[in-house]
Amino acid sequence: MVPASAAESPAPILAVRNLEVVYSDVILVLRGLSVDVPHGAIVAILGANGAGKTTLLRALSGLLGVHRGEVTKGYIEIDGRRLKKLDPAEIVRMGVSQVMEGRRIFPELSVDDNLRAGSFTRRDRAEVKANFERVMELFPVLAQRQRSIAGYLSGGEQQMLAIGRALMASPRVLLLDEPSLGLAPLIVEQIRNIIVEINSQGTSVLLVEQNATMALSIASYGYVMENGKIVKDGRGEELREDRDIQEFYLGVGEAGRRSFRDVKTYRRKKSWSA
């Protein structure tokens, strides 16, 4: 499902069209999914566990093969260039960086070494230096802990390190997979503000989140995924005001107040399937 205004707007920096992904030749996970990320935008992807959000990011970053998955239909374009059988390093060189769920830092390495590892696709020393300085400005706490072993950082600091490492590759599109997962509310607010600042510096963001409150507070557009398909989409403010979104994602309405993070399965309302 693509925004109705897509035909009238400039070509997006990231375009996903009718994407179908299969694992191990038999398990169909994504079912004709279409998503746009406009230049300079923050776009949110919402959905319960198992909706296919992480599979979408794996397709974008070239990591499907590691998990015995493949794109069987549809295509992905970065600035009009189609991604087809490119290895992950080449996709990073094209300007796409991913921060994985669970952070996936190198715990035995220092903060400094983790950041330097993020620049492995860049050969321009001036560019690497500029990126490093950018990360230090965005994350003062990392500047104070450059020689610290990453595994000893707090959860919030490790998330900042994971984002900083992705920025070392000069991304034009930053893919964030559940950046608020497992973090205290105060740290979630800090991460939210950092995402906004990164975006204001010119980096487009695709934000995959179960924390709809955080995601829709900063996203210009959002998509709701269920069973590998987009079942609802709209502007961020429209989704925040939508009664279905409020009930199932923001914890208000007939279902009562509850944390969507604890919801293991998701039952679509009849009005969504109309």
Side-chain angles (χ1 to χ4, degrees), residues 214-274:
M214 187 273 273
L216 294 179
S217 72
I218 60 177
S220 58
Y221 205 87
Y223 298 85
V224 180
M225 284 186 66
E226 181 185 320
N227 296 325
K229 298 188 291 186
I230 300 298
V231 296
K232 199 173 189 70
D233 69 292
R235 298 187 182 279
E237 61 269 21
E238 294 172 351
L239 294 181
R240 284 200 305 273
E241 298 301 320
D242 185 277
R243 292 184 62 182
D244 292 326
I245 298 296
Q246 290 178 352
E247 179 175 344
F248 289 100
Y249 289 85
L250 304 182
V252 297
E254 298 174 10
R257 294 189 176 275
R258 63 185 180 181
S259 170
F260 182 72
R261 195 182 303 284
D262 297 329
V263 176
K264 301 302 181 184
T265 59
Y266 176 67
R267 178 172 53 85
R268 188 192 311 172
K269 294 188 73 175
K270 290 182 180 179
S271 63
W272 286 31
S273 58

Side-chain angles (χ1 to χ4, degrees), residues 64-261:
L64 274 177
V66 177
H67 303 274
R68 300 185 64 186
E70 65 173 327
V71 174
T72 52
K73 289 183 181 178
Y75 62 88
I76 300 165
E77 288 185 346
I78 300 294
D79 245 357
R81 180 180 174 186
R82 193 164 296 189
L83 303 185
K84 188 174 182 180
K85 295 186 178 179
L86 296 177
D87 64 39
E90 181 59 26
I91 292 174
V92 172
R93 291 187 186 96
M94 291 176 64
V96 179
S97 290
Q98 180 177 354
V99 178
M100 297 183 181
E101 180 183 347
R103 297 174 287 267
R104 308 289 182 91
I105 60 169
F106 302 116
E108 71 284 359
L109 299 182
S110 69
V111 168
D112 186 80
D113 287 340
N114 267 270
L115 293 175
R116 305 265 177 210
S119 63
F120 80 101
T121 61
R122 302 299 164 186
R123 295 293 178 263
D124 186 329
R125 292 186 177 182
E127 180 185 11
V128 172
K129 181 180 179 182
N131 288 341
F132 188 85
E133 292 173 351
R134 177 192 184 192
V135 171
M136 293 298 100
E137 290 178 4
L138 282 168
F139 306 102
V141 67
L142 299 183
Q144 299 168 9
R145 291 168 168 75
Q146 288 186 46
R147 298 182 183 277
S148 298
I149 299 302
Y152 291 108
L153 300 180
S154 69
E157 291 167 348
Q158 289 185 13
Q159 185 64 71
M160 294 176 190
L161 178 58
I163 295 173
R165 184 178 60 185
L167 294 177
M168 290 295 295
S170 301
R172 296 153 64 211
V173 181
L174 182 63
L175 311 177
L176 297 172
D177 194 355
E178 304 284 3
S180 73
L181 185 64
L183 301 181
L186 183 60
I187 304 301
V188 171
E189 183 69 14
Q190 293 178 6
I191 296 297
R192 172 202 179 280
N193 294 339
I194 287 166
I195 295 171
V196 171
E197 177 62 24
I198 290 170
N199 177 248
S200 72
Q201 295 176 359
T203 303
S204 302
V205 177
L206 183 61
L207 173 62
V208 165
E209 262 293 347
Q210 289 192 38
N211 186 336
T213 301
M214 187 273 273
L216 294 179
S217 72
I218 60 177
S220 58
Y221 205 87
Y223 298 85
V224 180
M225 284 186 66
E226 181 185 320
N227 296 325
K229 298 188 291 186
I230 300 298
V231 296
K232 199 173 189 70
D233 69 292
R235 298 187 182 279
E237 61 269 21
E238 294 172 351
L239 294 181
R240 284 200 305 273
E241 298 301 320
D242 185 277
R243 292 184 62 182
D244 292 326
I245 298 296
Q246 290 178 352
E247 179 175 344
F248 289 100
Y249 289 85
L250 304 182
V252 297
E254 298 174 10
R257 294 189 176 275
R258 63 185 180 181
S259 170
F260 182 72
R261 195 182 303 284

Side-chain angles (χ1 to χ4, degrees), residues 8-71:
E8 303 170 3
S9 60
I13 189 169
L14 172 63
V16 180
R17 292 291 179 269
N18 302 313
L19 199 67
E20 182 178 280
V21 169
V22 173
Y23 285 108
S24 302
D25 297 324
V26 293
I27 305 172
L28 180 62
V29 177
L30 297 187
R31 308 162 184 265
L33 182 143
S34 295
V35 167
D36 275 353
V37 178
H39 286 266
I42 299 176
V43 173
I45 304 286
L46 308 177
N49 291 332
K53 305 185 304 297
T54 295
T55 292
L56 170 60
L57 295 188
R58 287 174 181 168
L60 296 174
S61 58
L63 296 176
L64 274 177
V66 177
H67 303 274
R68 300 185 64 186
E70 65 173 327
V71 174

